[in-house]
Amino acid sequence: MALDVNVGVIRVDYPVLAPVSRFDRKPDNLGFAGASLGNQDNETTGSFLGHSFSFETRSTTPDKLEADTADLIENGISMIVVLGHGNDVLKVADAAGAGALIFNAAAPEVALRSESCRSNLLHVAPSRAMLTDALAQFLVWKKWTRWLLISGSNPDDQQLAEAYRRSAMKFGTEIVEERIFEDTGGSRRSDSGHVLVQRQIPVFTQETEDHDVVLAVDESDVFALYLPFHTWTPRPVAGSGGLRPVSFHAAHEAWGATQFQRRFEKQNGRYVRPEDYNVWVAFRVIGEAVSRSSSDDVAVLRDYILSDAFELAAFKGQKVTFRPWNGQLRQPVLLTDSKITVSVSPQEGFLHHRSPLDSLGIDEPESACSAFAN
């Protein structure tokens, strides 16, 4: 039976300061570019089965989010990919209702996969816990087990700091000292030029406890990029600056990723970003589920996606699958210095009775999610 599958993409745009580096300016088609390539790939596969795929996009703000969600649902779109903060992802899931399937492509909050989970919400973006565990495993493998943790003063920074504390406890490392870098506002590029940074950061990192690595905890993009080469004690930097854990990045070439990168760049005239990749994965999850189940019914697709039968190739060296207890995509996490893939976690030797991928993030016994209970 031929199926016509239409997918919605909602991107919530927030007011932000200019990034520290002009290389990090967000493109206008962020996320939407991944949707376009994912839909193209679904069309290629679906054409052999007579299926057709299309998508609609909405660039919105938090106050218009629920109205845009309702508009998509009224137009018959029951599968929606969301790029937004955690609270806004929950708004979409709740507004769409049980008859829809929502894919979280950006929000890292652990609570979304635990006490605040929703039965109609699946997560292709890795959680903060997955990202921090991925980095922690590599640092343990390197035997860099004494961490100096420097965190920002904003709420998201503090949530990320808590995730690193949890990872340190999980893998037996020691946070020898914590310091907070206060966000005083202002123009970060003009007020924190290299001359001031060269004087300020060494003083800020002076007289610390002996440590192996500096852990930069800066989701707000205030200071982390300034830490490498400027700390008082010569030590590697990891976290939000230096060596970073990401779902994907533009330098990744292994496991067939080069052809993915080239197709994306040809189509969009720029490099891929993690948000683009996450949306592409969400689209491919939908396409694979539709092709394998021969259905566009949301309940059928959800059951198949969460079953042991589902798997997807994602240019990460192994097939990715979903955790049936909270809807999180199991996936390797790349560690990058933005020029190469330095490593990929889970690291060798970090085992799990179900899958090494489940050594990253919140495991089933730790999860407070009850929405997926059979």
Side-chain angles (χ1 to χ4, degrees), residues 133-143 171 255 318 332-333 335 342-352 355-357 359-360:
D133 281 357
L135 180 57
Q137 286 189 8
F138 179 76
L139 297 181
V140 169
W141 184 84
K142 289 289 293 180
K143 297 182 171 28
F171 296 113
W255 304 303
Q318 57 185 297
V333 173
L335 303 176
V342 175
S343 187
V344 180
S345 288
Q347 297 292 314
E348 183 179 358
F350 289 86
L351 305 178
H352 189 278
S355 164
L357 292 174
S359 69
L360 303 178

Coordinates of all heavy atoms in Angstrom, one line a residue, residues 133-143 171 255 318 332-333 335 342-352 355-357 359-360:
D133 N 29.1 11.5 30.4 CA 29.6 10.1 30.6 C 30.6 9.8 29.5 O 31.6 9.1 29.7 CB 28.5 9.1 30.6 CG 27.7 9.0 31.9 OD1 28.1 9.7 32.9 OD2 26.7 8.2 32.0
A134 N 30.3 10.2 28.3 CA 31.2 9.9 27.1 C 32.5 10.6 27.3 O 33.6 9.9 27.1 CB 30.5 10.5 25.8
L135 N 32.5 11.8 27.8 CA 33.8 12.5 28.1 C 34.5 11.9 29.3 O 35.7 11.6 29.2 CB 33.6 14.0 28.3 CG 34.8 14.8 28.6 CD1 35.8 14.7 27.4 CD2 34.5 16.3 28.8
A136 N 33.8 11.6 30.3 CA 34.3 11.0 31.5 C 35.0 9.6 31.2 O 36.1 9.4 31.7 CB 33.3 10.8 32.6
Q137 N 34.4 8.8 30.4 CA 35.0 7.5 30.0 C 36.4 7.7 29.3 O 37.4 7.0 29.6 CB 34.1 6.7 29.1 CG 32.9 6.1 29.8 CD 32.1 5.2 28.9 OE1 32.6 4.9 27.7 NE2 31.0 4.7 29.3
F138 N 36.5 8.7 28.4 CA 37.7 9.0 27.8 C 38.8 9.5 28.8 O 39.9 9.0 28.7 CB 37.5 10.0 26.6 CG 38.8 10.3 25.9 CD1 39.4 9.5 25.0 CD2 39.5 11.5 26.2 CE1 40.5 9.8 24.3 CE2 40.6 11.9 25.5 CZ 41.2 11.0 24.6
L139 N 38.4 10.4 29.7 CA 39.3 10.9 30.6 C 39.8 9.8 31.6 O 41.0 9.7 32.0 CB 38.7 12.0 31.4 CG 38.3 13.3 30.6 CD1 37.7 14.3 31.5 CD2 39.5 13.8 29.8
V140 N 38.9 8.8 31.9 CA 39.4 7.7 32.7 C 40.3 6.8 32.0 O 41.3 6.3 32.5 CB 38.1 6.9 33.2 CG1 38.5 5.6 33.8 CG2 37.3 7.7 34.2
W141 N 40.0 6.6 30.7 CA 40.9 5.8 29.8 C 42.3 6.4 29.7 O 43.3 5.7 29.7 CB 40.3 5.7 28.4 CG 41.0 4.8 27.5 CD1 41.0 3.4 27.4 CD2 42.0 5.2 26.5 NE1 41.9 3.0 26.4 CE2 42.5 4.1 25.9 CE3 42.5 6.5 26.1 CZ2 43.5 4.1 24.9 CZ3 43.4 6.5 25.1 CH2 43.9 5.4 24.5
K142 N 42.3 7.8 29.7 CA 43.6 8.5 29.7 C 44.3 8.5 31.0 O 45.4 9.0 31.1 CB 43.4 9.9 29.2 CG 43.0 10.0 27.7 CD 44.2 9.7 26.8 CE 45.3 10.8 26.9 NZ 46.5 10.4 26.1
K143 N 43.5 8.1 32.1 CA 44.0 8.2 33.5 C 44.1 9.6 33.9 O 45.0 10.0 34.8 CB 45.3 7.4 33.7 CG 45.2 5.9 33.4 CD 46.5 5.2 33.7 CE 46.4 3.7 33.6 NZ 45.3 3.1 32.8
F171 N 32.1 7.0 37.5 CA 33.3 6.4 36.9 C 34.5 6.5 37.9 O 35.7 6.2 37.5 CB 33.6 6.9 35.6 CG 32.6 6.6 34.6 CD1 31.8 7.6 34.0 CD2 32.4 5.3 34.1 CE1 30.8 7.4 33.1 CE2 31.4 5.0 33.2 CZ 30.6 6.0 32.7
W255 N 33.3 5.6 9.0 CA 32.1 4.8 8.8 C 31.1 5.4 7.8 O 29.9 5.4 7.9 CB 31.4 4.6 10.1 CG 32.3 4.0 11.2 CD1 32.9 2.8 11.1 CD2 32.6 4.6 12.4 NE1 33.6 2.6 12.2 CE2 33.5 3.7 13.1 CE3 32.3 5.8 13.1 CZ2 34.0 3.9 14.3 CZ3 32.8 6.0 14.3 CH2 33.7 5.1 15.0
Q318 N 28.2 1.7 14.4 CA 27.3 0.6 14.8 C 25.9 1.1 14.7 O 25.6 2.3 14.6 CB 27.6 0.2 16.2 CG 27.5 1.2 17.3 CD 27.9 0.7 18.7 OE1 27.2 -0.1 19.2 NE2 29.0 1.2 19.2
P332 N 26.6 6.1 19.9 CA 27.9 6.5 20.3 C 28.0 8.1 20.3 O 27.2 8.8 19.6 CB 28.8 6.0 19.2 CG 28.0 4.9 18.6 CD 26.6 5.3 18.7
V333 N 28.9 8.6 21.1 CA 29.1 10.1 21.2 C 30.5 10.4 20.7 O 31.5 9.7 21.2 CB 28.9 10.5 22.7 CG1 29.3 12.0 22.8 CG2 27.5 10.3 23.1
L335 N 33.9 12.6 20.3 CA 34.7 13.5 21.1 C 35.6 14.3 20.1 O 36.4 13.6 19.3 CB 35.6 12.8 22.1 CG 34.8 12.0 23.1 CD1 35.8 11.2 24.1 CD2 33.9 12.8 24.0
V342 N 38.6 12.9 17.8 CA 39.7 12.5 18.7 C 39.4 11.1 19.2 O 40.3 10.2 19.3 CB 39.8 13.4 19.9 CG1 40.9 12.9 20.9 CG2 40.2 14.8 19.4
S343 N 38.1 10.8 19.5 CA 37.8 9.5 20.0 C 36.2 9.3 19.9 O 35.5 10.3 19.6 CB 38.2 9.2 21.5 OG 38.0 7.9 21.9
V344 N 35.8 8.1 20.2 CA 34.3 7.9 20.2 C 34.0 7.0 21.4 O 34.7 6.0 21.7 CB 33.9 7.1 18.9 CG1 32.4 6.9 19.0 CG2 34.2 7.9 17.7
S345 N 33.0 7.5 22.2 CA 32.6 6.7 23.4 C 31.3 6.0 23.0 O 30.5 6.5 22.2 CB 32.4 7.6 24.6 OG 33.6 8.1 25.1
P346 N 31.0 4.8 23.6 CA 31.7 4.3 24.8 C 33.1 3.8 24.5 O 33.4 3.2 23.4 CB 30.8 3.1 25.3 CG 30.0 2.7 24.0 CD 29.8 4.0 23.3
Q347 N 34.0 3.9 25.5 CA 35.4 3.5 25.4 C 35.5 2.0 25.6 O 34.7 1.4 26.2 CB 36.2 4.3 26.4 CG 36.3 5.8 26.2 CD 37.0 6.2 24.9 OE1 38.0 5.7 24.6 NE2 36.4 7.1 24.2
E348 N 36.6 1.5 25.0 CA 36.9 0.1 25.2 C 37.0 -0.3 26.7 O 37.6 0.5 27.5 CB 38.2 -0.3 24.5 CG 38.5 -1.7 24.5 CD 39.8 -2.0 23.8 OE1 40.4 -1.1 23.2 OE2 40.2 -3.2 23.8
G349 N 36.3 -1.3 27.1 CA 36.4 -1.7 28.5 C 35.3 -1.3 29.4 O 35.1 -1.8 30.5
F350 N 34.5 -0.4 28.9 CA 33.3 0.1 29.6 C 32.1 -0.8 29.2 O 31.5 -0.5 28.1 CB 33.0 1.5 29.4 CG 34.0 2.4 30.1 CD1 35.2 2.7 29.5 CD2 33.8 2.9 31.4 CE1 36.2 3.5 30.2 CE2 34.7 3.7 32.1 CZ 35.9 4.0 31.4
L351 N 31.8 -1.8 30.0 CA 30.8 -2.8 29.6 C 29.4 -2.6 30.2 O 29.3 -1.8 31.1 CB 31.3 -4.2 30.0 CG 32.7 -4.5 29.4 CD1 33.1 -5.9 29.9 CD2 32.8 -4.5 27.9
H352 N 28.5 -3.2 29.6 CA 27.1 -3.2 30.1 C 26.4 -4.5 29.8 O 26.7 -5.0 28.7 CB 26.3 -2.0 29.5 CG 25.0 -1.7 30.2 ND1 23.9 -2.4 29.8 CD2 24.6 -0.9 31.1 CE1 22.8 -2.0 30.6 NE2 23.3 -1.1 31.4
S355 N 24.1 -3.5 26.5 CA 24.8 -2.9 25.4 C 25.8 -1.9 25.9 O 25.5 -1.2 26.9 CB 23.9 -2.2 24.4 OG 24.6 -1.4 23.5
P356 N 27.0 -1.9 25.4 CA 28.0 -0.9 25.9 C 27.4 0.5 25.7 O 27.8 1.4 26.5 CB 29.2 -1.1 25.0 CG 29.1 -2.5 24.6 CD 27.7 -2.8 24.5
L357 N 26.5 0.7 24.8 CA 25.9 2.1 24.6 C 25.1 2.5 25.8 O 24.9 3.7 26.1 CB 25.0 2.1 23.4 CG 25.7 2.0 22.0 CD1 24.7 1.8 20.9 CD2 26.6 3.1 21.8
S359 N 26.1 2.2 28.8 CA 27.0 2.7 29.8 C 27.0 4.3 29.7 O 27.6 4.9 30.6 CB 28.4 2.2 29.6 OG 29.0 2.7 28.4
L360 N 26.4 4.8 28.7 CA 26.3 6.3 28.6 C 24.9 6.8 29.0 O 23.9 6.3 28.5 CB 26.5 6.7 27.1 CG 27.8 6.3 26.5 CD1 27.9 6.8 25.0 CD2 29.0 6.8 27.3

